Amino acid sequence: MDKLQPTVEAAFEQIMQDYGTRILRLVTFLVKDHSLAEDITQDVFVKAYQHLPRFRGESSVHTWLYRIAVNECKGYLRSWSFRHILPRSWIRKDGELSTESLVLHQEQRNQLVAEVLQLAPLYRQVIVLHYYADLSIKEVADVLRISEGTARTRLHRARQHLKQSLGEGSEWEWTTTDGSQI
């Protein structure tokens, strides 16, 4: 029996379920404002829906969505409103922590996130895509439409900036599932 092909709407609904939260987190990291990130994420999925019938499968779905998200963020960061209106601060909602070690660990993590958010956008993008979204260097290069060598160079420079700002003696290490770390 032939396998039924999902409709565009069904495929899109599945994509939103699978990637909605990940795209929102990525966009939040890139634009530093959760409410704005929600709006941009909605725009990302509108564009994905509009272009889904033309998706050729030359890259994976998550790489395709991340590319759309990064491009939307770049467009916003270049926009007049971003340069002329102060963005709202990025609000953290921390639960209560019960032990001193958890508090210290969370403080170190917050410091790392704050430092990542202070990086220039081209460095912040590679850090977030590689470590946070857990993409390989090749996938990062595909998303950003740069060469793998450029992606490696930007990642190295971003790590150097973070090491300098966090201090060489920092106990914090950010590790991906493949074992690479800052």
Side-chain angles (χ1 to χ4, degrees):
M1 183 172 179
D2 291 330
K3 188 176 179 181
L4 293 175
Q5 296 297 318
T7 64
V8 171
E9 289 77 16
F12 181 70
E13 187 173 328
Q14 186 64 46
I15 288 170
M16 284 189 62
Q17 287 176 0
D18 292 348
Y19 299 101
T21 302
R22 288 194 264 180
I23 296 296
L24 177 60
R25 288 180 185 155
L26 170 69
V27 172
T28 301
F29 255 111
L30 295 175
V31 298
K32 306 181 198 182
D33 183 316
H34 187 72
S35 0
L36 176 62
E38 288 174 343
D39 293 341
I40 292 174
T41 299
Q42 186 174 8
D43 293 342
V44 168
F45 282 105
V46 166
K47 284 196 175 186
Y49 180 77
Q50 291 170 339
H51 294 93
L52 188 60
R54 291 180 291 212
F55 177 64
R56 297 181 304 251
E58 293 173 357
S59 64
S60 65
V61 172
H62 77 271
T63 301
W64 177 63
L65 286 172
Y66 286 177
R67 181 178 301 133
I68 295 170
V70 167
N71 287 338
E72 286 296 304
C73 291
K74 282 180 180 178
Y76 174 75
L77 294 173
R78 283 190 302 258
S79 74
W80 179 91
S81 62
F82 176 76
R83 290 188 305 247
H84 293 90
I85 299 173
L86 293 175
R88 288 181 233 139
S89 62
W90 192 33
I91 301 171
R92 288 187 349 255
K93 293 182 182 176
D94 294 333
E96 290 186 26
L97 300 172
S98 58
T99 66
E100 184 179 336
S101 64
L102 288 175
V103 171
L104 291 174
H105 178 74
Q106 186 62 36
E107 183 57 35
Q108 290 172 336
R109 184 179 186 89
N110 290 343
Q111 181 185 4
L112 177 62
V113 169
E115 292 299 329
V116 168
L117 291 173
Q118 295 303 312
L119 290 172
L122 64 110
Y123 296 139
R124 186 170 60 237
Q125 290 169 355
V126 294
I127 288 288
V128 170
L129 290 170
H130 184 66
Y131 289 102
Y132 187 75
D134 207 22
L135 298 182
S136 69
I137 295 293
K138 182 182 182 337
E139 291 170 323
V140 170
D142 288 345
V143 167
L144 298 176
R145 294 187 177 178
I146 57 176
S147 71
E148 285 184 50
T150 301
R152 277 186 178 71
T153 300
R154 287 184 187 175
L155 186 60
H156 174 74
R157 289 180 181 162
R159 286 178 184 147
Q160 293 306 108
H161 284 290
L162 288 172
K163 283 180 182 179
Q164 287 175 348
S165 61
L166 293 170
E168 292 295 327
S170 175
E171 296 179 22
W172 179 258
E173 290 182 351
W174 195 4
T175 308
T176 64
T177 55
D178 70 356
S180 57
Q181 48 185 237
I182 296 177

